[in-house]
Amino acid sequence: MRRFAPLLAAGVFATVVPALAPAGASAAETITAPSSDILTQKPDWQRCDPELSAAYECATVKVPLDHRKPKGATLDVAISRIKATDPAKRHGVLLANPGGPGGPGLDMPLLMDEHLPKEVREQYDLIGFDPRGVGRSSPISCGLTEAEQNWLRPYKAETFAADVAWARGVADKCRAAAKDVLPYITTRNTARDMDVIRAVLGERKISYLGYSYGTYLGAVFTEMFPQRSDRIVLDSGVDPERAWRGMIQIWAEGAEPAFRRWTQWTAQRAAEYGLGDTPEAVSRTFWDLVARADREPILIDGQKLTGDDIRTARPYFFYPRQAAELVKALKAAAEGRPPAGALPEQFLRGRLQGRAGQPAADNSTAVFLAVVCGDTDAWPRDPEQYRRDAVRDKERYPLFGDFASNVMPCAFWDRPVEKVTAVNNRTPVMTVQNEWDSQTPLASGQGLHRALKGSRMVYAAGGEGHGVYLFDQASCANAPVSAYLATGRLPYQDITCTTPPAEGQRLTRPGPVPPFPVAPDRF
């Protein structure tokens, strides 16, 4: 990530933020607003980076650490902007979040500036921000090593006690390192920060483009601040009913149909991949490979891969060609033959995480845990519940079930300071969903659509990958989303369209905003 100078906001501005709600409320906020010192900020915009366009500006604003104590301690939130290209047509601000939790968003205006169509781009000041605790926004750390950050772990009876000890140890380290801040790194507080940003920018409402975790953040914002919500696009949806353990478990559920589709696709190309000429034969090849690697790890590119390592290739099965090439390379290595092509760098990098045992920059992981553990009290507190669930789900969902249901640090986290937000409103919203999404599978996007009673869904049948609008340049969803952002008019009814496979068409822009799919352990 590029370095941005932290800038202290100053000046006077007099927009009033709506009041805040009691703990667990699902309606608009109703208690004390932030103090006048917060509301009268005026961002001191400065060039973000001398190597980037002068139009890309950054500033810092203050937000309450605990919005229920508006005159108490504060945090810094870094924001960025690129102004609308046609002031005469300016509609307002378009705030964006790339996902996470724990993902920095300060660079989002760069991505939007490059890829938004003219009729949208000319209407909006593009606004990015690092959510509280992330990046340039009063970042938190638990002091975790790489090994401790490796939170997706396969269930094994012989290692479960060690996994429980790891989970308890991570929770203890986070509590010790960030106990004064950790309870307030939540989605509800980030939504409140968004409303402070709105007020500081002098806007009555904000428009919003949120991806993945950003869809949940956007949904919570519409629940808490419906009167402040303008044109809202939620892309690759998180089901609010499944926040958060259920959203991890849905990775295992969604992987099974994707795996079956892959076996069919690969069997039709038996001559090319040599993995089997029927879906059953392709499946058998894969599981034989997993069993073989469990007996004797496969040496490839200087690394030894176990069967559990291979099963973490779950996201690749949503892209049949990528998965076929990966399994073909692994099979060749297992048989002592040089792979026809190199394994994807992201796959090997993911397998290397957690093995060096060296201190790591754990900001993203610390925020991820703070949010998924601190948003809701629905996490089981009995480690044996995780054991039972992991055993059950390994049988139900062989590819990833035990990973998704194994013990987490959330089992030992402090109780949340607020109840989870119940999302159930009629705010006009557009949701966008690919059929084959590895991180927020179709059932999750449909759950978000159901929760938002005023929403319209644009469903890209056949669409592959996580993140649709702007990221899949051939997606049939792009036109209706752009039309909504340009006009503010939702379609009369849900839209289903057909998108060709995303291979070779998805955004691969280099720079601080990564292409989708994101890391396999994030939303």
Side-chain angles (χ1 to χ4, degrees):
M1 176 137 184
R2 295 182 181 274
R3 290 176 295 182
F4 303 97
L7 306 169
L8 191 61
V12 176
F13 186 71
T15 294
V16 177
V17 174
L20 307 183
S26 60
E29 299 284 79
T30 57
I31 57 176
T32 310
S35 69
S36 59
D37 289 345
I38 297 294
L39 296 179
T40 56
Q41 297 176 88
K42 186 175 181 181
D44 181 16
W45 294 108
Q46 301 286 340
R47 187 170 183 170
C48 291
D49 190 314
E51 298 179 13
L52 299 174
S53 168
Y56 178 44
E57 300 177 299
C58 289
T60 299
V61 299
K62 296 286 187 182
V63 298
L65 168 65
D66 181 355
H67 280 266
R68 299 168 306 162
K69 299 177 181 178
K71 295 183 179 180
T74 62
L75 298 175
D76 290 339
V77 169
I79 62 175
S80 61
R81 76 173 178 187
I82 302 178
K83 291 183 179 180
T85 56
D86 189 340
K89 296 181 179 179
R90 184 185 182 278
H91 174 74
V93 297
L94 179 59
L95 196 69
N97 180 277
L106 206 60
D107 296 321
M108 287 299 288
L110 294 172
L111 180 144
M112 293 190 291
D113 184 50
E114 183 176 347
H115 293 284
L116 282 172
K118 178 178 181 294
E119 65 273 18
V120 177
R121 178 66 193 88
E122 62 191 8
Q123 294 191 44
Y124 295 98
D125 291 353
L126 308 177
I127 307 297
F129 73 110
D130 284 352
R132 59 170 50 208
V134 177
R136 305 295 298 184
S137 295
S138 298
I140 64 169
S141 169
C142 294
L144 302 178
T145 66
E146 288 190 15
E148 288 169 327
Q149 292 184 66
N150 181 22
W151 61 270
L152 278 172
R153 296 170 175 233
Y155 172 77
K156 294 182 182 300
E158 61 270 25
T159 60
F160 183 70
D163 289 340
V164 171
W166 156 80
R168 182 181 286 108
V170 167
D172 288 345
K173 286 186 76 169
C174 288
R175 191 178 296 114
K179 62 180 179 180
D180 294 333
V181 176
L182 207 63
Y184 308 105
I185 306 298
T186 63
T187 300
R188 283 181 65 84
N189 279 324
T190 300
R192 291 164 175 150
D193 294 346
M194 287 168 56
D195 198 58
V196 171
I197 293 170
R198 173 205 60 77
V200 168
L201 294 178
E203 302 292 330
R204 293 182 59 83
K205 296 184 177 183
I206 57 172
S207 296
Y208 177 79
L209 173 59
Y211 295 94
S212 197
Y213 166 71
T215 68
Y216 182 66
L217 175 60
V220 171
F221 182 86
T222 65
E223 192 69 41
M224 296 171 71
F225 302 101
Q227 74 277 28
R228 302 301 191 189
S229 303
D230 193 1
R231 302 172 186 178
I232 308 294
V233 177
L234 306 180
D235 186 316
S236 305
V238 167
D239 183 353
E241 290 292 322
R242 301 190 66 135
W244 280 108
R245 190 179 186 219
M247 278 305 303
I248 297 168
Q249 291 172 320
I250 207 172
W251 290 343
E253 298 168 32
E256 294 301 316
F259 182 83
R260 290 192 295 271
R261 172 178 176 248
W262 169 73
T263 64
Q264 296 165 359
W265 186 95
T266 305
Q268 294 168 359
R269 295 159 179 82
E272 181 178 357
Y273 294 105
L275 299 177
D277 56 7
T278 67
E280 295 76 16
V282 173
S283 179
R284 190 162 53 249
T285 296
F286 174 81
W287 288 109
D288 286 349
L289 188 64
V290 169
R292 180 172 183 168
D294 276 335
R295 293 192 304 271
E296 182 179 355
I298 298 170
L299 181 63
I300 187 167
D301 285 359
Q303 305 300 322
K304 290 183 177 181
L305 303 179
T306 67
D308 290 332
D309 290 330
I310 294 172
R311 289 194 294 129
T312 63
R314 171 195 65 81
Y316 288 87
F317 291 100
F318 291 80
Y319 303 87
R321 184 173 298 279
Q322 288 187 20
E325 291 172 352
L326 174 63
V327 175
K328 180 181 178 180
L330 290 170
K331 183 173 182 289
E335 295 170 349
R337 297 182 287 109
L343 266 67
E345 180 183 354
Q346 187 181 27
F347 176 74
L348 283 177
R349 186 167 62 246
R351 306 288 61 71
L352 290 173
Q353 283 185 354
R355 299 196 175 187
Q358 299 299 317
D362 70 335
N363 176 236
S364 176
T365 300
V367 174
F368 175 83
L369 292 173
V371 172
V372 300
C373 301
D375 270 358
T376 172
D377 199 23
W379 290 92
R381 298 288 167 165
D382 179 6
E384 287 303 310
Q385 182 66 55
Y386 292 90
R387 183 201 298 271
R388 292 190 293 269
D389 291 350
V391 170
R392 176 199 66 199
D393 288 347
K394 188 170 186 176
E395 179 69 23
R396 286 180 178 176
Y397 313 113
L399 189 61
F400 206 69
D402 56 320
F403 283 92
S405 290
N406 203 359
V407 67
M408 286 276 292
C410 302
F412 305 100
W413 215 257
D414 288 345
R415 300 285 182 178
V417 296
E418 295 187 87
K419 294 180 180 178
V420 68
T421 302
V423 175
N424 181 23
N425 65 70
R426 295 190 174 276
T427 305
V429 168
M430 176 171 279
T431 67
V432 190
Q433 188 70 36
N434 270 336
E435 180 177 7
W436 299 104
D437 182 329
S438 63
Q439 304 306 106
T440 52
L442 177 58
S444 176
Q446 291 169 330
L448 176 66
H449 180 40
R450 285 193 302 271
L452 295 168
K453 303 298 190 294
S455 65
R456 296 289 183 271
M457 172 178 272
V458 180
Y459 168 50
E464 294 176 356
H466 185 52
V468 186
Y469 184 61
L470 305 184
F471 287 91
D472 186 346
Q473 298 166 40
S475 177
C476 62
N478 289 331
V481 176
S482 293
Y484 169 59
L485 287 174
T487 67
R489 294 191 293 272
L490 282 173
Y492 176 73
Q493 59 187 4
D494 293 346
I495 294 174
T496 297
C497 58
T498 301
T499 289
E503 295 167 277
Q505 299 160 348
R506 294 185 64 78
L507 177 65
T508 56
R509 173 183 178 272
V513 180
F516 286 97
V518 295
D521 61 350
R522 293 291 189 274
F523 300 100

